[in-house]
Short mmCIF file of all heavy atoms in Angstrom, two decimals:
data_model
loop_
_atom_site.label_atom_id
_atom_site.label_comp_id
_atom_site.label_asym_id
_atom_site.label_seq_id
_atom_site.Cartn_x
_atom_site.Cartn_y
_atom_site.Cartn_z
N LEU T 131 25.31 -32.38 -19.88
CA LEU T 131 25.39 -33.81 -20.08
C LEU T 131 26.66 -34.29 -19.48
O LEU T 131 27.74 -33.96 -19.89
CB LEU T 131 25.32 -34.10 -21.53
CG LEU T 131 25.37 -35.59 -21.99
CD1 LEU T 131 24.17 -36.32 -21.55
CD2 LEU T 131 25.58 -35.72 -23.55
N PRO T 132 26.61 -35.19 -18.47
CA PRO T 132 27.84 -35.53 -17.68
C PRO T 132 28.67 -36.61 -18.34
O PRO T 132 29.00 -37.63 -17.74
CB PRO T 132 27.28 -35.98 -16.34
CG PRO T 132 25.95 -36.58 -16.70
CD PRO T 132 25.39 -35.79 -17.84
N VAL T 133 29.14 -36.34 -19.53
CA VAL T 133 29.93 -37.35 -20.31
C VAL T 133 31.25 -37.63 -19.64
O VAL T 133 31.80 -38.71 -19.68
CB VAL T 133 30.14 -36.84 -21.74
CG1 VAL T 133 31.00 -37.88 -22.55
CG2 VAL T 133 28.84 -36.63 -22.43
N ALA T 135 31.80 -37.41 -16.26
CA ALA T 135 31.67 -37.61 -14.85
C ALA T 135 31.96 -39.09 -14.46
O ALA T 135 32.09 -39.95 -15.31
CB ALA T 135 30.21 -37.33 -14.43
N GLY T 136 32.07 -39.31 -13.17
CA GLY T 136 32.43 -40.64 -12.67
C GLY T 136 31.24 -41.34 -12.00
O GLY T 136 31.46 -42.38 -11.31
N TRP T 137 30.04 -40.96 -12.24
CA TRP T 137 28.89 -41.62 -11.67
C TRP T 137 27.96 -42.12 -12.77
O TRP T 137 27.97 -41.62 -13.92
CB TRP T 137 28.10 -40.72 -10.71
CG TRP T 137 27.48 -39.55 -11.38
CD1 TRP T 137 26.24 -39.53 -12.02
CD2 TRP T 137 27.95 -38.20 -11.48
NE1 TRP T 137 26.02 -38.29 -12.57
CE2 TRP T 137 26.99 -37.47 -12.24
CE3 TRP T 137 29.13 -37.61 -11.03
CZ2 TRP T 137 27.25 -36.09 -12.48
CZ3 TRP T 137 29.34 -36.23 -11.31
CH2 TRP T 137 28.38 -35.55 -12.04
N LEU T 138 27.10 -43.06 -12.41
CA LEU T 138 26.18 -43.62 -13.32
C LEU T 138 24.79 -43.10 -13.09
O LEU T 138 24.50 -42.61 -12.05
CB LEU T 138 26.12 -45.18 -13.18
CG LEU T 138 27.48 -45.90 -13.51
CD1 LEU T 138 27.35 -47.42 -13.13
CD2 LEU T 138 27.85 -45.71 -14.95
N PRO T 139 23.87 -43.21 -14.11
CA PRO T 139 22.49 -42.75 -13.87
C PRO T 139 21.81 -43.61 -12.75
O PRO T 139 22.13 -44.80 -12.60
CB PRO T 139 21.83 -43.07 -15.23
CG PRO T 139 22.92 -43.14 -16.23
CD PRO T 139 24.08 -43.65 -15.47
N PRO T 140 21.03 -42.98 -11.90
CA PRO T 140 20.42 -43.72 -10.78
C PRO T 140 19.74 -45.03 -11.21
O PRO T 140 19.75 -45.97 -10.49
CB PRO T 140 19.42 -42.71 -10.16
CG PRO T 140 19.99 -41.39 -10.64
CD PRO T 140 20.59 -41.56 -11.93
N ASP T 141 19.05 -45.10 -12.38
CA ASP T 141 18.33 -46.28 -12.73
C ASP T 141 19.29 -47.43 -13.03
O ASP T 141 18.87 -48.60 -12.93
CB ASP T 141 17.47 -45.97 -13.95
CG ASP T 141 18.28 -45.54 -15.18
OD1 ASP T 141 19.25 -44.79 -15.01
OD2 ASP T 141 17.95 -45.93 -16.33
N MET T 142 20.56 -47.14 -13.34
CA MET T 142 21.50 -48.27 -13.54
C MET T 142 22.03 -48.86 -12.25
O MET T 142 22.40 -49.98 -12.17
CB MET T 142 22.69 -47.72 -14.40
CG MET T 142 22.35 -47.47 -15.82
SD MET T 142 23.81 -46.95 -16.81
CE MET T 142 24.64 -48.55 -17.03
N TYR T 143 22.01 -48.03 -11.16
CA TYR T 143 22.46 -48.55 -9.88
C TYR T 143 21.39 -49.55 -9.25
O TYR T 143 21.78 -50.35 -8.47
CB TYR T 143 22.63 -47.40 -8.88
CG TYR T 143 23.92 -46.60 -9.11
CD1 TYR T 143 23.84 -45.23 -9.41
CD2 TYR T 143 25.16 -47.17 -9.00
CE1 TYR T 143 25.02 -44.50 -9.56
CE2 TYR T 143 26.33 -46.40 -9.17
CZ TYR T 143 26.25 -45.02 -9.47
OH TYR T 143 27.35 -44.33 -9.65
N GLY T 144 20.14 -49.34 -9.51
CA GLY T 144 19.11 -50.10 -8.87
C GLY T 144 18.54 -49.28 -7.73
O GLY T 144 18.84 -49.49 -6.57
N GLU T 145 17.68 -48.29 -8.12
CA GLU T 145 17.19 -47.38 -7.12
C GLU T 145 16.41 -48.07 -6.03
O GLU T 145 16.55 -47.61 -4.87
CB GLU T 145 16.25 -46.33 -7.86
CG GLU T 145 16.97 -45.49 -8.88
CD GLU T 145 16.04 -44.66 -9.74
OE1 GLU T 145 15.46 -45.21 -10.76
OE2 GLU T 145 15.79 -43.48 -9.40
N ASP T 146 15.56 -49.01 -6.39
CA ASP T 146 14.73 -49.66 -5.34
C ASP T 146 15.58 -50.25 -4.22
O ASP T 146 15.30 -50.16 -3.03
CB ASP T 146 13.84 -50.64 -5.98
CG ASP T 146 12.74 -50.00 -6.87
OD1 ASP T 146 12.52 -48.82 -6.73
OD2 ASP T 146 12.17 -50.74 -7.71
N ILE T 148 18.66 -49.50 -3.33
CA ILE T 148 19.29 -48.51 -2.50
C ILE T 148 18.37 -47.79 -1.60
O ILE T 148 18.68 -47.62 -0.41
CB ILE T 148 20.07 -47.49 -3.40
CG1 ILE T 148 21.13 -48.28 -4.25
CG2 ILE T 148 20.71 -46.40 -2.62
CD1 ILE T 148 21.75 -47.44 -5.36
N SER T 333 30.85 -46.61 -4.37
CA SER T 333 30.31 -45.51 -5.21
C SER T 333 30.00 -45.93 -6.64
O SER T 333 29.16 -45.27 -7.28
CB SER T 333 31.24 -44.27 -5.22
OG SER T 333 32.47 -44.66 -5.85
N LYS T 334 30.67 -46.96 -7.14
CA LYS T 334 30.41 -47.37 -8.53
C LYS T 334 29.38 -48.45 -8.63
O LYS T 334 28.90 -48.73 -9.72
CB LYS T 334 31.76 -47.89 -9.16
CG LYS T 334 32.87 -46.89 -9.00
CD LYS T 334 32.66 -45.53 -9.51
CE LYS T 334 33.81 -44.59 -9.26
NZ LYS T 334 33.53 -43.18 -9.65
N THR T 335 28.98 -49.06 -7.52
CA THR T 335 27.99 -50.18 -7.63
C THR T 335 26.73 -49.88 -6.88
O THR T 335 25.73 -50.52 -7.13
CB THR T 335 28.60 -51.48 -7.12
OG1 THR T 335 29.07 -51.26 -5.79
CG2 THR T 335 29.73 -51.97 -8.01
N LEU T 336 26.76 -48.93 -5.98
CA LEU T 336 25.57 -48.49 -5.24
C LEU T 336 25.20 -47.08 -5.51
O LEU T 336 24.28 -46.79 -6.26
CB LEU T 336 25.75 -48.72 -3.71
CG LEU T 336 25.75 -50.19 -3.22
CD1 LEU T 336 26.10 -50.28 -1.74
CD2 LEU T 336 24.44 -50.89 -3.55
N SER T 337 25.96 -46.15 -4.90
CA SER T 337 25.72 -44.73 -5.17
C SER T 337 26.89 -43.92 -4.56
O SER T 337 27.27 -44.20 -3.43
CB SER T 337 24.40 -44.26 -4.58
OG SER T 337 24.32 -42.84 -4.65
N PRO T 338 27.42 -42.94 -5.24
CA PRO T 338 28.44 -42.09 -4.66
C PRO T 338 27.98 -41.24 -3.47
O PRO T 338 28.78 -40.80 -2.69
CB PRO T 338 28.92 -41.24 -5.82
CG PRO T 338 27.80 -41.19 -6.79
CD PRO T 338 27.09 -42.55 -6.64
N MET T 386 21.40 -57.23 -9.37
CA MET T 386 21.67 -55.83 -9.78
C MET T 386 22.99 -55.70 -10.40
O MET T 386 23.19 -55.01 -11.48
CB MET T 386 21.48 -54.90 -8.61
CG MET T 386 21.57 -53.44 -8.97
SD MET T 386 21.66 -52.35 -7.51
CE MET T 386 23.35 -52.64 -7.03
N ARG T 389 23.05 -57.24 -13.87
CA ARG T 389 22.38 -56.37 -14.80
C ARG T 389 23.22 -55.15 -15.17
O ARG T 389 23.29 -54.73 -16.32
CB ARG T 389 20.98 -55.92 -14.23
CG ARG T 389 20.17 -55.08 -15.17
CD ARG T 389 18.78 -54.86 -14.59
NE ARG T 389 18.86 -53.95 -13.43
CZ ARG T 389 18.62 -54.44 -12.16
NH1 ARG T 389 18.30 -55.69 -11.96
NH2 ARG T 389 18.71 -53.57 -11.14
N LEU T 390 23.88 -54.60 -14.16
CA LEU T 390 24.74 -53.40 -14.36
C LEU T 390 25.86 -53.64 -15.29
O LEU T 390 26.13 -52.88 -16.21
CB LEU T 390 25.20 -52.92 -12.97
CG LEU T 390 26.20 -51.75 -12.99
CD1 LEU T 390 25.52 -50.47 -13.64
CD2 LEU T 390 26.65 -51.41 -11.61
N GLN T 393 24.59 -53.92 -18.83
CA GLN T 393 24.30 -52.62 -19.38
C GLN T 393 25.54 -51.85 -19.76
O GLN T 393 25.60 -51.21 -20.79
CB GLN T 393 23.43 -51.80 -18.38
CG GLN T 393 22.02 -52.33 -18.19
CD GLN T 393 21.32 -51.51 -17.07
OE1 GLN T 393 21.76 -51.40 -15.94
NE2 GLN T 393 20.17 -50.94 -17.43
N LEU T 394 26.57 -51.93 -18.94
CA LEU T 394 27.81 -51.25 -19.22
C LEU T 394 28.46 -51.86 -20.44
O LEU T 394 29.06 -51.08 -21.24
CB LEU T 394 28.79 -51.29 -17.99
CG LEU T 394 28.37 -50.44 -16.80
CD1 LEU T 394 29.29 -50.68 -15.63
CD2 LEU T 394 28.38 -48.96 -17.21
N SER T 397 26.57 -50.47 -23.43
CA SER T 397 26.83 -49.01 -23.49
C SER T 397 28.25 -48.73 -24.08
O SER T 397 28.48 -47.82 -24.86
CB SER T 397 26.63 -48.30 -22.22
OG SER T 397 25.29 -48.41 -21.74
N ARG T 400 28.38 -49.38 -27.82
CA ARG T 400 27.81 -48.27 -28.55
C ARG T 400 28.64 -47.00 -28.50
O ARG T 400 28.74 -46.23 -29.42
CB ARG T 400 26.40 -48.01 -27.99
CG ARG T 400 25.36 -49.09 -28.22
CD ARG T 400 23.93 -48.62 -28.00
NE ARG T 400 23.79 -48.06 -26.68
CZ ARG T 400 23.41 -48.79 -25.64
NH1 ARG T 400 23.17 -50.11 -25.82
NH2 ARG T 400 23.23 -48.32 -24.40
N MET T 420 33.16 -48.59 -16.80
CA MET T 420 32.36 -47.46 -17.19
C MET T 420 33.05 -46.42 -18.03
O MET T 420 32.47 -45.42 -18.41
CB MET T 420 31.69 -46.81 -15.98
CG MET T 420 32.75 -46.39 -14.90
SD MET T 420 32.02 -46.02 -13.33
CE MET T 420 31.05 -44.51 -13.67
N ASN T 469 32.34 -41.35 -20.12
CA ASN T 469 31.52 -42.22 -19.28
C ASN T 469 30.50 -42.90 -20.26
O ASN T 469 29.68 -42.21 -20.84
CB ASN T 469 30.76 -41.42 -18.18
CG ASN T 469 29.99 -42.34 -17.24
OD1 ASN T 469 29.37 -43.28 -17.65
ND2 ASN T 469 29.94 -41.94 -15.99
N VAL T 470 30.59 -44.19 -20.41
CA VAL T 470 29.83 -44.89 -21.44
C VAL T 470 28.30 -44.80 -21.20
O VAL T 470 27.53 -44.96 -22.17
CB VAL T 470 30.26 -46.36 -21.62
CG1 VAL T 470 31.74 -46.43 -21.92
CG2 VAL T 470 29.98 -47.18 -20.31
N ALA T 471 27.90 -44.52 -19.98
CA ALA T 471 26.46 -44.41 -19.70
C ALA T 471 25.82 -43.15 -20.35
O ALA T 471 24.61 -43.12 -20.50
CB ALA T 471 26.23 -44.38 -18.18
N TYR T 472 26.68 -42.19 -20.77
CA TYR T 472 26.12 -40.89 -21.25
C TYR T 472 26.62 -40.64 -22.70
O TYR T 472 26.32 -39.56 -23.25
CB TYR T 472 26.51 -39.79 -20.39
CG TYR T 472 26.07 -39.92 -18.98
CD1 TYR T 472 26.89 -40.43 -17.98
CD2 TYR T 472 24.77 -39.56 -18.60
CE1 TYR T 472 26.49 -40.54 -16.66
CE2 TYR T 472 24.30 -39.70 -17.24
CZ TYR T 472 25.17 -40.16 -16.29
OH TYR T 472 24.79 -40.30 -15.01
N THR T 473 27.52 -41.48 -23.25
CA THR T 473 28.23 -41.14 -24.44
C THR T 473 27.42 -41.24 -25.72
O THR T 473 27.55 -40.49 -26.67
CB THR T 473 29.50 -41.99 -24.61
OG1 THR T 473 30.28 -41.84 -23.41
CG2 THR T 473 30.33 -41.59 -25.80
N GLN T 475 24.86 -40.20 -27.22
CA GLN T 475 23.87 -39.12 -27.28
C GLN T 475 24.12 -38.28 -28.54
O GLN T 475 25.25 -37.88 -28.82
CB GLN T 475 23.98 -38.25 -26.01
CG GLN T 475 23.64 -38.91 -24.71
CD GLN T 475 22.19 -39.27 -24.56
OE1 GLN T 475 21.38 -38.57 -25.12
NE2 GLN T 475 21.84 -40.27 -23.77
#
Side-chain angles (χ1 to χ4, degrees):
L131 180 67
V133 178
W137 66 83
L138 298 172
D141 59 323
M142 290 185 73
Y143 284 119
E145 295 170 277
D146 292 342
I148 297 169
S333 63
K334 309 306 178 186
T335 55
L336 289 175
S337 171
M386 184 189 76
R389 184 174 65 251
L390 175 60
Q393 288 176 304
L394 288 174
S397 297
R400 290 196 303 271
M420 55 195 292
N469 185 322
V470 300
Y472 303 97
T473 304
Q475 296 288 333

